[in-house]
Amino acid sequence: MSRSSLDDRINRLHSLTETLDDDNNRRDKASMMNQLSQEFVIHMEKAEKGVKNKDLGGAEAHRLIAESIHKTLTTFEAIKE
């Protein structure tokens, strides 16, 4: 997997955000939170498996993703519609 530059990551995220914020692609908060919850569980399980298998680099990568998902879910839960 190739490394992306900071500018590339920012541009890709900005483009995706604009697409998702378009009126024709309005985000469904409940569905998004459900998907994020499932992704959190998946990445935590992969992190725990990585620790068990002594793949600490992979475990840390999955832990960071799970932590990011957790922070996002916490923000959405605090905003409640």
Side-chain angles (χ1 to χ4, degrees):
M1 181 164 75
S2 65
R3 297 179 104 173
S4 57
S5 73
L6 175 61
D7 288 340
D8 290 340
R9 292 190 309 266
I10 290 170
N11 289 336
R12 288 182 72 185
L13 285 169
H14 180 72
S15 176
L16 182 58
T17 298
E18 283 185 346
T19 300
L20 291 171
D21 283 343
D22 180 273
D23 286 339
N24 295 324
N25 297 312
R26 217 21 96 184
R27 298 179 196 188
D28 177 359
K29 185 178 174 186
S31 174
M32 182 172 45
M33 288 183 68
N34 183 48
Q35 182 65 39
L36 284 172
S37 295
Q38 292 175 22
E39 290 294 325
F40 174 82
V41 170
I42 289 167
H43 286 285
M44 283 300 300
E45 288 173 350
K46 288 182 178 184
E48 292 162 347
K49 184 177 179 183
V51 169
K52 182 179 177 183
N53 293 333
K54 307 229 185 294
D55 175 15
L56 301 183
E60 181 64 8
H62 287 291
R63 185 198 67 79
L64 288 169
I65 294 167
E67 183 177 41
S68 177
I69 292 168
H70 167 69
K71 288 178 181 178
T72 301
L73 282 168
T74 301
T75 300
F76 284 137
E77 290 164 351
I79 295 172
K80 292 196 183 193
E81 289 185 71

